[in-house]
Amino acid sequence: MLGKTANGLFWMYRYLERAENTSRFVETGQRMALTRLGSSEGEWRSMMQTAGVLGGFEATGEEMSKDAALDWMLRSKANASSVLMSIEGARQNARLVRTALTHEVWEAMNGCYMRARELLSRKVNERDLPKVLGEIRQGTALVRGATHGTMLRNDIYNFARIGTFLERADNTARILDTKYYVLLPSVMSVGSSIDNVQWETILRSVSARGGFRLVYGNQYNPEDIAYFLILDGRMPRSLAFCVGKIRDNINHLAKDYGTRPDSCAKVAKLTDEYLSRDIEAIIDQGLHQYIQTVLSLLHDLGSQIEIDYRFYE
Amino acid sequence: MDKNQIFDEMWGREESLRPPYGLFKEWFDGEEPARLRAKQREAEDLFRLTGITFNVYGRAEAEERLIPFDIVPRIISGLEWQRLSKGIEQRVRAINAFLHDIYHGQEIIKAGRLPERMIAGNDAFLPQMVGVKPPGGVYTHIVGIDLVRTDDNQFYVLEDNARTPSGVSYMLENRETMLQMFPELFARNRVQRVENYPSDLRSSLSACAPSMAGSSPTVAVLTPGIYNSAYFEHAFLADQMGVELVEGHDLRVIDGRVAMRTTEGYKPIDVLYRRVDDDFLDPLNFNPDSALGVPGIMDVYRAGGITIANAPGTGIADDKAIYSYMPDIVEFYTGEKALLENVPTWRCSEPDSLAYVLDNLSDLVVKEVHGSGGYGMLIGPTASKKEIAEFRKKLEAKPNNYIAQPTLALSTVPVFSQKGLSPRHVDLRPFVLVSPDKINITPGGLTRVALKKGSLVVNSSQGGGTKDTWVLED
């Protein structure tokens, strides 16, 4: 396989994952703004901070409002992580690697892009938001489904999966990075309504409210939430789950190609040293610093993969 | 032009149904127009979803557009096709022999059949190819011959495409779409297959691999990239052949071979089907500013380390100035009279011809010698006085740049319009594969149709569409 193709697959699936993540943030933002008594601008600001797109928005000088926030996250061309730009990025990369994709995957990707472009061709009214987001997520889910159902389990699939899980791990880690303080034990934590809302936001942002309830019942507890998002191998957006998948795929590649490049050691270090600890130990030693270390190791792993598999040279 | 001056491929001149269209007509008469209109829209959705689009140059935003597709097939009988193929095969053999000769002994010039200035002063002639013998002796691995028809038995060659003919993906996708939408039509008519083209192309290219290649040569398609207008086709062909689609920056010369950067290191390529023009192929040997090519590939090529398809320098054979000599060229190399006729052509470089052309501009089509895509040409009968006056100035300033031809009464084939079946002018581009021991012509080709009533311009950049082209089993 061409190095360029591996790169294109990696980014196609990263962007696809990013489109889903951003749409989930929008959904959460709207939900929180609707159910809060305080200012909806404040909720949106907090949501955009969690999504990591607040800085970019503030740089435009535009005033914060519900509509401005929606537009920035859904369809702004200036926001590289907006739903529309992410889907365009995924489709552009899909065109680049057209020969590596099955007919079904390509058509699903192209169809998803065409529909998203149509739905997001003008400002989205809040009333239409659930329908629009629903359709877009259906589109991305179709690409994912076609990928699982029709692609050979070879290096093509492995690069697609590595892109997916690296983006997802990065997304979860960023949420933890901006919201870590609400997961710290505090004297008056349990039951405070402010905390409850914050925890709910976090869980919604990773589509994990239902999953969490199933495992822990109705009682939110910051340590449980931290464990769920970082270490719980059952939770498909936890750091441990995502990095575990990356490790599997990197090992498949190593077996296929008959070489063990540096990325193998790097992913092993992440799982063995950082994702096999107790949650108590992580919190005792400093949750924020831990998350930042993991983020930087993830970034480093991504760069190593680029080098190992000759994405650019 | 009067109606009865024009030959319609379904109705002839006298409104009597021609036999190849018999079964189609029967089917068509039994169909609800509303259903067909819905099918026409469905076809467009299919094309859009598959991504069969071309990028329009010169737009701020890279816009992807569909080439309109018409659901009425263009139907050719097996016998008609047999006659045509003989002519095409003869012409393609002659083109390859001509290219070999031009880059070696230049016997045709010595024999006085082609003036030396046609070669010496021609930009399409590549001095770097002199004395080079391409692997297998093949110059034009893929040829597209543009044909027009004016009568039952009268075809003319409008143009030879010996560089990088495009459009074959439309031939294949048009058929695929028709099969999906109207399976019943194919149950009634026995239509010769075109689907084998990609695998034939791969075998044909492999058969031209350099001697050092093993039993299964590595083939790759070289594209200028996703912003090129024909990118879809490049990706489509690579995909259908099951080979890599590469860009210049994926390639590098290593140890005397051209190699592509893979996830496991550099891997040598034996045959490169390039969809990049000569000028951009190698910044060391041609245009130094090219970022699309591979530095040093020409040196590898000259040393026999790779097959480039088509060979560099084949443009000399499809140059419009050379075109007018094609009947002589065919005769010179095959020893037979050309089976396919050329359109009569005036070379404006010759004073007598120029005088005639200037006197008859309103009746003639005048083309740039190196132009393509229907740009920079004058269609006398439909041009305004002002356009003719402006063109006259250009022609007088640089007569060598132009040739002129009579306006042909191109045949029509019906399209499905709001009013039912309406005649529109068409041309035909069959695709030919050349390997050392075989010339393979896919039965059918790309039919381009001028969708505007009365228009003779079939180019997709100027409002042309396409049709599925059927060759029947007789």
Side-chain angles (χ1 to χ4, degrees):
Chain A
M1 181 200 292
L2 294 178
K4 175 188 69 187
T5 307
N7 188 17
L9 285 161
F10 176 85
W11 279 103
M12 171 186 164
Y13 283 89
R14 270 200 93 146
Y15 277 123
L16 197 69
E17 178 70 23
R18 189 173 297 177
E20 290 185 8
N21 293 340
T22 305
S23 81
R24 196 173 292 112
F25 281 127
V26 173
E27 210 167 54
T28 308
Q30 194 214 15
R31 177 79 194 185
M32 300 320 285
L34 279 181
T35 51
R36 289 292 290 155
L37 298 172
S39 81
S40 94
E41 283 75 25
E43 292 298 336
W44 277 109
R45 188 181 305 280
S46 150
M47 195 67 253
M48 282 167 77
Q49 192 193 19
T50 312
V53 299
L54 183 64
F57 176 79
E58 284 177 338
T60 65
E62 208 180 324
E63 203 175 313
M64 178 64 75
S65 68
K66 177 185 72 194
D67 288 345
L70 275 181
D71 216 48
W72 183 253
M73 293 176 76
L74 283 179
R75 51 189 293 274
S76 173
K77 289 216 188 306
N79 173 13
S81 302
S82 71
V83 173
L84 185 59
M85 291 304 282
S86 300
I87 290 179
E88 269 191 31
R91 194 258 190 175
Q92 186 80 318
N93 279 286
R95 284 189 78 203
L96 201 69
V97 300
R98 178 70 187 79
T99 55
L101 304 174
T102 59
H103 202 72
E104 284 91 335
V105 171
W106 161 253
E107 285 198 354
M109 185 67 246
N110 200 33
C112 167
Y113 160 78
M114 284 170 7
R115 190 69 188 123
R117 228 168 62 135
E118 200 177 312
L119 290 166
L120 300 175
S121 60
R122 59 188 83 81
K123 287 199 184 223
V124 177
N125 191 309
E126 200 184 351
R127 259 190 334 218
D128 304 327
L129 194 58
K131 185 174 167 292
V132 167
L133 289 178
E135 272 200 58
I136 288 173
R137 288 249 285 278
Q138 222 168 43
T140 55
L142 200 58
V143 182
R144 204 182 290 293
T147 305
H148 290 305
T150 65
M151 301 271 283
L152 288 181
R153 289 338 191 230
N154 58 5
D155 46 359
I156 295 176
Y157 188 78
N158 286 316
F159 285 113
R161 298 295 275 174
I162 291 172
T164 303
F165 288 109
L166 208 55
E167 179 70 21
R168 190 179 293 177
D170 186 74
N171 184 62
T172 301
R174 275 178 205 290
I175 293 172
L176 289 165
D177 188 39
T178 50
K179 295 284 182 186
Y180 75 95
Y181 56 90
V182 306
L183 296 175
L184 295 177
S186 83
V187 272
M188 51 168 296
S189 68
V190 188
S192 133
S193 70
I194 298 278
D195 283 345
N196 261 321
V197 167
Q198 292 282 13
W199 294 334
E200 199 184 322
T201 306
I202 293 176
L203 288 173
R204 276 185 190 277
S205 306
V206 291
S207 288
R209 229 167 42 106
F212 186 83
R213 258 202 316 263
L214 213 58
V215 180
Y216 295 95
N218 276 338
Q219 206 56 267
Y220 291 147
N221 167 324
E223 201 178 281
D224 290 343
I225 295 177
Y227 175 81
F228 198 56
L229 262 61
I230 298 170
L231 298 175
D232 198 326
R234 294 167 298 181
M235 151 64 177
R237 317 194 75 84
S238 77
L239 297 180
F241 181 90
C242 296
V243 175
K245 286 288 178 190
I246 298 171
R247 183 183 191 162
D248 291 348
N249 287 296
I250 283 181
N251 286 333
H252 286 314
L253 281 176
K255 205 171 150 215
D256 252 21
Y257 290 165
T259 54
R260 293 195 67 80
D262 291 351
S263 46
C264 290
K266 290 199 167 166
V267 75
K269 179 175 164 172
L270 249 173
T271 46
D272 296 347
E273 289 181 27
Y274 288 86
L275 297 166
S276 311
R277 299 183 185 178
D278 287 344
I279 192 68
E280 292 84 8
I282 289 173
I283 290 173
D284 283 351
Q285 286 156 26
L287 180 60
H288 195 217
Q289 207 204 334
Y290 168 83
I291 293 296
Q292 290 199 318
T293 309
V294 171
L295 261 174
S296 112
L297 287 174
L298 281 171
H299 182 264
D300 194 32
L301 176 61
S303 311
Q304 191 63 48
I305 291 170
E306 279 177 12
I307 296 167
D308 288 348
Y309 298 104
R310 301 172 180 83
F311 281 12
Y312 298 101
E313 55 189 345
Chain B
M1 268 174 273
D2 289 339
K3 194 171 180 332
N4 61 6
Q5 271 192 303
I6 296 167
F7 174 74
D8 186 85
E9 297 189 16
M10 182 163 173
W11 296 106
R13 285 177 197 281
E14 313 294 338
E15 297 288 315
S16 66
L17 185 66
R18 295 181 63 250
Y21 285 84
L23 290 170
F24 170 79
K25 170 77 167 47
E26 214 171 83
W27 170 85
F28 182 84
D29 289 343
E31 287 294 311
E32 281 292 322
R35 183 181 102 96
L36 292 181
R37 257 184 278 284
K39 284 282 179 187
Q40 179 89 50
R41 281 191 298 273
E42 196 183 301
E44 270 177 30
D45 291 344
L46 270 175
F47 278 95
R48 222 176 261 289
L49 190 62
T50 319
I52 310 174
T53 55
F54 69 102
N55 301 340
V56 184
Y57 286 126
R59 304 267 172 140
E61 206 171 310
E63 190 189 340
E64 292 166 30
R65 275 209 294 186
L66 283 186
I67 296 186
F69 171 71
D70 177 70
I71 57 172
V72 179
R74 192 242 193 112
I75 311 175
I76 297 168
S77 77
L79 189 68
E80 286 172 326
W81 182 253
Q82 227 174 27
R83 276 201 297 257
L84 267 183
S85 338
K86 280 197 186 120
I88 294 170
E89 181 169 343
Q90 181 198 44
R91 194 157 172 121
V92 169
R93 274 190 204 291
I95 286 174
N96 270 283
F98 170 69
L99 284 163
H100 175 83
D101 184 27
I102 281 306
Y103 289 116
H104 291 88
Q106 304 205 332
E107 300 298 333
I108 192 167
I109 294 174
K110 290 176 191 153
R113 301 288 290 271
L114 184 73
E116 191 176 5
R117 66 184 158 81
M118 296 312 300
I119 303 296
N122 195 324
D123 288 343
F125 177 78
L126 276 195
Q128 290 91 336
M129 282 300 288
V130 171
V132 176
K133 192 176 177 302
V138 177
Y139 282 84
T140 58
H141 307 77
I142 301 111
V143 190
I145 305 280
D146 286 357
L147 299 169
V148 294
R149 185 174 200 177
T150 56
D151 210 339
D152 235 333
N153 287 313
Q154 186 64 60
F155 287 85
Y156 291 102
V157 176
L158 199 59
E159 207 172 287
D160 303 288
N161 295 281
R163 280 172 260 204
T164 49
S166 63
V168 77
S169 57
Y170 293 95
M171 169 183 89
L172 296 166
E173 284 293 339
N174 288 354
R175 174 64 53 83
E176 201 53 43
T177 303
M178 288 295 282
L179 279 166
Q180 276 191 43
M181 292 199 311
F182 305 114
E184 71 274 20
L185 261 178
F186 292 88
R188 292 175 179 219
N189 288 279
R190 293 179 52 211
V191 181
Q192 298 192 29
R193 290 154 61 93
V194 296
E195 299 86 302
N196 294 336
Y197 180 85
S199 74
D200 288 347
L201 174 60
R202 183 166 176 175
S203 326
S204 187
L205 289 171
S206 300
C208 299
S211 49
M212 68 185 46
S215 56
S216 81
T218 303
V219 179
V221 178
L222 176 66
T223 174
I226 58 171
Y227 297 107
N228 184 268
S229 69
Y231 177 77
F232 162 74
E233 178 157 301
H234 307 161
F236 177 87
L237 286 174
D239 184 37
Q240 296 282 311
M241 284 195 284
V243 305
E244 294 291 358
L245 177 66
V246 298
E247 293 175 45
H249 59 79
D250 297 316
L251 305 180
R252 185 185 285 179
V253 173
I254 297 175
D255 299 333
R257 303 291 315 267
V258 175
M260 57 184 168
R261 194 182 75 245
T262 76
T263 49
E264 298 173 85
Y266 278 88
K267 186 180 173 205
I269 292 175
D270 299 309
V271 183
L272 191 62
Y273 175 20
R274 50 81 177 233
R275 298 292 296 256
V276 169
D277 291 342
D278 285 352
D279 205 21
F280 296 101
L281 201 52
D282 183 349
L284 293 183
N285 283 281
F286 306 117
N287 182 350
D289 298 329
S290 169
L292 305 177
V294 190
I297 189 175
M298 269 308 281
D299 305 315
V300 175
Y301 181 64
R302 277 194 292 253
I306 191 169
T307 298
I308 299 178
N310 289 352
T314 52
I316 191 70
D318 68 12
D319 184 74
K320 289 198 182 71
I322 296 289
Y323 166 86
S324 60
Y325 293 94
M326 275 310 286
D328 300 303
I329 288 173
V330 172
E331 215 176 306
F332 186 77
Y333 296 106
T334 64
E336 303 158 9
K337 226 175 127 33
L339 298 171
L340 280 174
E341 276 183 65
N342 254 23
V343 180
T345 303
W346 289 275
R347 305 171 188 128
C348 301
S349 53
E350 296 168 5
D352 290 354
S353 299
L354 178 64
Y356 176 85
V357 172
L358 287 169
D359 283 347
N360 293 280
L361 273 181
S362 59
D363 297 324
L364 297 172
V365 178
V366 191
K367 296 175 178 173
E368 268 187 83
V369 174
H370 303 298
S372 70
Y375 290 106
M377 63 191 269
L378 175 83
I379 301 178
T382 59
S384 68
K385 279 198 172 136
K386 191 167 158 250
E387 283 166 331
I388 290 181
E390 278 168 12
F391 208 90
R392 181 184 301 277
K393 276 187 216 147
K394 284 202 268 183
L395 183 53
E396 281 169 338
K398 282 189 177 166
N400 290 348
N401 264 359
Y402 296 93
I403 55 161
Q405 293 169 340
T407 357
L408 295 178
L410 298 195
S411 63
T412 54
V413 172
V415 297
F416 182 62
S417 72
Q418 290 298 324
K419 291 179 198 149
L421 294 179
S422 319
R424 294 289 184 273
H425 295 291
V426 293
D427 77 353
L428 175 63
R429 177 179 292 177
F431 293 94
V432 188
L433 298 173
V434 185
S435 59
D437 55 354
K438 200 159 127 199
I439 289 184
N440 175 334
I441 308 171
T442 305
L446 176 66
T447 290
R448 299 187 296 177
V449 52
L451 292 171
K452 224 172 86 190
K453 192 176 171 187
S455 167
L456 294 168
V457 185
V458 296
N459 302 81
S460 55
S461 49
Q462 299 188 44
T466 65
K467 281 172 167 295
D468 188 16
T469 310
W470 293 4
V471 173
L472 300 180
E473 306 260 10
D474 280 346

